[in-house]
Amino acid sequence: MKYYLTLLTLVFFISFNAFSQEKVVKYKVSSGETINQIAQKFKVTPYDIYQLNPDARTSLPPNTVLLIPTKNAETKKAAAEPKAVVSSGKEIIHEVQPKETFYSIEHKYGISDEALKAANPNLEKTGVQIGQKLVIPAKGSKPKAAAKAVKEKGAEKYVFHDVQPKETKFGIAKQYNISVEELEKRNPEIVASLPVGYRLTIKGTAPKTDSVPTAAKPVETKKTAETSKKAVTYMEYQVKPKETFYSLGRTFHLSQEELTSLNPSLSEGVKEGMVIKVPTGYLAPAPIVVAQQPAGNTERPAENTGSGIKIVDRVESEENNAEVVALTKKKTNERKKVVLLLPFNMAKVQNDTAGTANRIKNDKFLNMTLDFYSGAMMAIDSAKTLKLPIDVVIYDSQETKTTSNVSGLTSKLQDADAVIGPFYQNNAESAANTLRMYNVPVISPLSKDSANPIDNLYQSVPSVDVVKNAVFDYMRAKNGNIVAVVDKKKESVINYIKQNQRGVAFASLTETGGLDAANLKSLLMPNRMNYVVMETANTAMIKATIKAMLDSQKTCQVQLVILEPNSTLDTDEINFENLVKLKLMYPSVTRESDEQPVLIYEKQYRLKNKVNPTTYATRGFDVTFDTMMRLVQGKTFQETADLMTTQQVDNKFQYYRKEDGGHANKGVYILYYDSDLTLKVAN
């Protein structure tokens, strides 16, 4: 569920002040006119118009009368004057024009970001503003402000800051009134990540204390310096259709505030075709890891011999030509063995006459496999860092929907402490049946299907019914009154609720299939939280439900709930502000979090793979890392499954024994939009 474009529009509507020195004129909208055209006609921004006409965000019918802000006479006169570049000695005075950014001004005059900000200290606080006069330092000269800072550095007192959980670089920089670039320059060790507990130097040059975690210390000074330099280089990026602050932030690892700071024009919203300034290095294509290298490759990857795990050459199995990636050392009784069964189907790839590259380009299943593999390798790297006593072996499961080579690998799997895979549910069940006599747990990593009752099979993805049950369990735990608004077309949902969720009242529908709003209101209780479960794709029914609930907020507490993603809620016809007022809630197997550990994982993945992690890559990390961590607790995987609930980057693992046998995962998040416009996990 992502309603980020509308949400961010609402953020800007709330956060900007009204015009204090403006008069307004009335303007009647002609047929086919847009807000952008009207804004250009009056030489104002679309946001200026939305300030006075909030309803224009959702619709703009012909003959609508808009209030258009007009600047006072003095401002008009200033706007009419030509914007000249005035020379002042060696320095140049530049007046900022509409749509100009830090990057465009620096590019125009051939100066660095540091030089521009040193010559104009207020830029750190205000950003680039239209009409602002900036001092442009001459090329090769040092601005006076910078020279003064160097002169006074010896007398400067040092200031430390210990990183707290959930803190970000942007937040810390804002707290001390410095830029993120300056913070990274003073602390080059944090360019790649921001470890909790790390002691930052905010001011001065005092040495770090022993409290700095060793994991955050640079291995090579030269390499760290190069990384730091890369972190402050920028490029131009053209906004693509349907991109939002959220998608741009995920791509370039920047918050909305950081994007707007770099590009003040974004204060009017993200628009298709805009050219913005972004950090370099995040748009390179993803490298192909496995399928391009034939078995028997003699090139050895880097080793970490002190970690307890080392990577050895990729070798070809004598049995079924299974490709193996082994991370082993001499096995002892204390070491654990994890096997990954991944469907590379190397024989098909190598025999494909169209070529390996073409197969990788067109084979979605292979791409999913490679993504999962890349995430699993990130987990294995983490295990090396933690020096976990684990041996990891990866076999090509050579699977299709109906077949696999697991039976031929039995002799290599029977001593495993856990097996992850195969991908297809029926193949995972076959593997579990084969390994049952050896008491080897088999973790099904991707399938959502309900599994057959096999004692040693662990379904790691919650099934559809488990996800739905979770939100009903939550509502009952809050002693809520649950009312369902369900379209007649949603027969499966109606049957599910009637068979599994006793005591839920259904709101009546009209003869034409619409909502009977009066009946819905009559089912709400004044002294309890009322959860309205809405399942329909019909826009009219959605609007009627929302209106009835908003009307009812005067007399009782109501919250809107959906059981699965609803694309209709993402359309412009549905006002997201109303969804926020009703604290839209839904269950999810992923938590969609921007917490610090998640951001660190995503950044590390980008540094290694030159691309953002997909859902399958994160799934590969979470399942693999969770399995390894369970095995080093001094208990078997089965014992930890009965005792422990874990939470990784994006997934929760809360295994339980099913009544008919086997294990399933009920690790589901209940997410809702809070009044501060953020997505939160319900307690």
Side-chain angles (χ1 to χ4, degrees):
M1 295 298 302
K2 294 182 175 66
Y3 310 102
Y4 297 99
L5 182 58
T6 317
L7 184 151
L8 291 163
T9 304
L10 182 59
V11 170
F12 286 123
F13 177 74
I14 292 173
S15 61
F16 276 76
N17 293 323
F19 292 93
S20 58
Q21 296 182 352
E22 295 175 353
K23 295 181 179 179
V24 297
V25 296
K26 294 182 179 180
Y27 177 78
K28 183 180 290 187
V29 178
S30 301
S31 179
E33 266 192 315
T34 66
I35 289 294
N36 285 337
Q37 291 170 341
I38 298 169
Q40 291 174 6
K41 184 180 293 186
F42 287 91
K43 296 183 179 180
V44 297
T45 68
Y47 177 75
D48 295 337
I49 298 176
Y50 288 139
Q51 279 279 102
L52 298 176
N53 308 271
D55 291 340
R57 294 176 182 273
T58 55
S59 63
L60 194 66
N63 299 320
T64 298
V65 176
L66 298 177
L67 299 178
I68 309 295
T70 58
K71 307 289 183 182
N72 56 34
E74 184 178 345
T75 307
K76 286 183 179 179
K77 182 179 179 181
E81 293 176 357
K83 305 294 187 296
V85 176
V86 184
S87 177
S88 176
K90 291 184 179 181
E91 296 175 340
I92 296 173
I93 305 301
H94 173 83
E95 187 171 345
V96 178
Q97 305 299 305
K99 297 185 179 181
E100 281 191 316
T101 65
F102 282 116
Y103 179 77
S104 63
I105 296 170
E106 291 159 6
H107 183 72
K108 180 176 181 179
Y109 293 101
I111 60 174
S112 68
D113 190 64
E114 291 180 351
L116 180 64
K117 291 178 179 177
N120 303 271
N122 289 335
L123 282 179
E124 296 289 355
K125 295 181 180 179
T126 64
V128 176
Q129 306 290 333
I130 297 173
Q132 184 180 20
K133 289 183 172 60
L134 301 179
V135 176
I136 308 298
K139 291 183 181 179
S141 67
K142 294 182 179 180
K144 294 178 182 179
K148 184 177 180 181
V150 173
K151 184 177 180 181
E152 295 177 354
K153 189 174 181 180
E156 194 175 38
K157 293 183 179 180
Y158 63 83
V159 177
F160 283 152
H161 177 90
D162 293 326
V163 178
Q164 303 300 312
K166 298 185 179 182
E167 282 192 313
T168 65
K169 286 186 276 189
F170 181 80
I172 295 170
K174 187 176 181 180
Q175 179 180 341
Y176 292 99
N177 198 25
I178 60 177
S179 67
V180 173
E181 290 85 355
E182 185 178 348
L183 184 68
E184 290 182 333
K185 187 175 181 181
R186 288 180 178 271
N187 305 271
E189 301 90 343
I190 68 166
V191 170
S193 64
L194 186 66
V196 174
Y198 185 77
R199 175 157 287 186
L200 298 171
T201 296
I202 304 299
K203 187 177 181 182
T205 56
K208 301 284 193 299
T209 68
D210 293 337
S211 65
V212 179
T214 56
K217 293 182 180 178
V219 178
E220 293 180 323
T221 305
K222 183 177 179 182
K223 184 175 180 181
T224 303
E226 290 174 356
T227 306
S228 180
K229 185 177 180 182
K230 287 181 181 178
V232 294
T233 59
Y234 299 94
M235 66 181 183
E236 289 185 340
Y237 175 80
Q238 187 170 16
V239 177
K240 297 180 177 60
K242 297 184 179 180
E243 284 193 305
T244 65
F245 272 113
Y246 179 79
S247 61
L248 291 172
R250 300 282 281 194
T251 299
F252 300 109
H253 196 55
L254 294 172
S255 67
Q256 177 185 333
E257 291 84 357
E258 290 170 311
L259 281 166
T260 307
S261 177
L262 288 172
N263 304 276
S265 60
L266 287 175
S267 62
E268 297 177 9
V270 179
K271 299 175 184 176
E272 178 184 345
M274 293 177 73
V275 177
I276 60 175
K277 173 184 172 184
V278 295
T280 57
Y282 290 139
L283 297 177
I288 302 302
V289 181
V290 176
Q292 287 183 332
Q293 294 189 6
N297 179 21
T298 58
E299 201 173 308
R300 181 183 296 273
E303 297 186 3
N304 184 347
T305 55
S307 67
I309 300 177
K310 69 175 183 178
I311 301 177
V312 301
D313 292 326
R314 189 171 286 113
V315 298
E316 189 170 3
S317 170
E318 297 177 358
E319 205 168 330
N320 295 321
N321 291 325
E323 179 158 322
V324 180
V325 181
L327 295 90
T328 64
K329 232 181 176 182
K330 186 175 181 181
K331 190 168 178 67
T332 69
N333 291 333
E334 294 180 356
R335 300 183 65 79
K336 302 295 182 180
K337 178 180 177 180
V338 175
V339 176
L340 273 69
L341 298 177
L342 305 182
F344 295 123
N345 291 306
M346 288 300 298
K348 290 183 180 180
V349 173
Q350 292 168 348
N351 294 331
D352 193 335
T353 56
T356 302
N358 185 68
R359 187 174 184 87
I360 292 170
K361 180 179 179 181
N362 298 311
D363 191 331
K364 293 182 179 179
F365 187 68
L366 178 58
N367 274 276
M368 178 187 71
T369 302
L370 294 176
D371 285 348
F372 188 95
Y373 170 82
S374 67
M377 292 304 292
M378 288 283 293
I380 293 168
D381 286 345
S382 298
K384 286 198 298 179
T385 302
L386 296 171
K387 299 184 179 181
L388 302 183
I390 294 178
D391 301 330
V392 181
V393 185
I394 304 177
Y395 291 101
D396 182 357
S397 59
Q398 298 183 18
E399 65 177 297
T400 65
K401 288 184 178 180
T402 56
T403 63
S404 76
N405 73 331
V406 173
S407 59
L409 295 171
T410 303
S411 62
K412 299 179 181 296
L413 304 178
Q414 62 191 40
D415 64 338
D417 294 286
V419 172
I420 300 173
F423 281 7
Y424 285 112
Q425 180 63 26
N426 59 314
N427 292 333
E429 291 179 3
S430 296
N433 276 321
T434 300
L435 297 173
R436 180 189 288 183
M437 68 176 67
Y438 305 106
N439 201 29
V440 176
V442 174
I443 297 98
S444 177
L446 292 177
S447 176
K448 298 178 182 178
D449 298 337
S450 296
N452 286 316
I454 306 172
D455 290 341
N456 60 324
L457 180 63
Y458 294 79
Q459 197 76 8
S460 68
V461 180
S463 67
V464 174
D465 281 354
V466 166
V467 174
K468 291 177 182 176
N469 291 343
V471 73
F472 279 99
D473 290 344
Y474 171 83
M475 292 185 289
R476 287 198 174 90
K478 296 294 183 179
N479 192 32
N481 174 44
I482 307 173
V483 180
V485 176
V486 186
D487 197 318
K488 289 180 179 179
K489 297 178 181 179
K490 298 273 188 177
E491 290 184 11
S492 61
V493 177
I494 295 173
N495 292 334
Y496 161 78
I497 294 176
K498 287 182 176 179
Q499 294 171 13
N500 301 282
Q501 305 300 335
R502 304 279 181 179
V504 175
F506 283 85
S508 300
L509 304 182
T510 64
E511 293 181 359
T512 58
L515 172 69
D516 185 338
N519 177 258
L520 171 59
K521 293 178 182 178
S522 71
L523 296 174
L524 304 179
M525 298 183 179
N527 299 322
R528 292 171 64 184
M529 171 59 78
N530 296 276
Y531 296 103
V532 178
V533 179
M534 180 184 69
E535 284 299 311
T536 178
N538 184 287
T539 304
M541 183 178 284
I542 291 174
K543 286 185 173 181
T545 304
I546 290 174
K547 184 178 185 306
M549 293 180 68
L550 291 174
D551 291 343
S552 300
Q553 281 187 327
K554 300 172 184 177
T555 56
C556 57
Q557 290 181 296
V558 290
Q559 186 166 6
L560 181 61
V561 181
I562 57 176
L563 302 180
E564 56 190 8
N566 189 334
S567 59
T568 308
L569 297 182
D570 286 319
T571 63
D572 293 336
E573 294 188 65
I574 306 302
N575 188 341
F576 182 73
E577 183 179 357
N578 290 334
L579 299 179
V580 172
K581 288 179 181 178
L582 296 174
K583 294 192 174 183
L584 176 67
M585 183 169 71
Y586 61 95
S588 174
V589 297
T590 58
R591 58 178 171 158
E592 303 178 30
S593 171
D594 285 330
E595 292 181 5
Q596 192 65 20
V598 178
L599 297 179
I600 291 173
Y601 158 76
E602 290 175 348
K603 190 163 188 176
Q604 292 297 332
Y605 186 95
R606 276 194 296 269
L607 290 172
K608 182 174 182 178
N609 299 287
K610 309 303 180 193
V611 70
N612 287 317
T614 65
T615 302
Y616 293 113
T618 304
R619 185 78 191 165
F621 177 90
D622 283 357
V623 173
T624 305
F625 191 72
D626 183 74
T627 301
M628 292 191 295
M629 289 302 294
R630 287 178 181 275
L631 292 177
V632 297
Q633 304 301 317
K635 301 179 184 296
T636 65
F637 186 92
Q638 294 93 324
E639 290 172 329
T640 64
D642 293 335
L643 297 172
M644 297 169 55
T645 296
T646 60
Q647 180 172 282
Q648 304 303 338
V649 172
D650 224 13
N651 296 272
K652 183 192 295 185
F653 299 94
Q654 187 177 2
Y655 291 110
Y656 68 98
R657 291 180 181 270
K658 298 192 298 182
E659 292 181 2
D660 56 353
H663 294 75
N665 181 17
K666 59 178 180 180
V668 178
Y669 297 99
I670 308 300
L671 306 179
Y672 73 98
Y673 285 96
D674 202 355
S675 54
D676 62 0
L677 307 178
T678 60
L679 191 63
K680 294 182 179 177
V681 177
N683 293 322

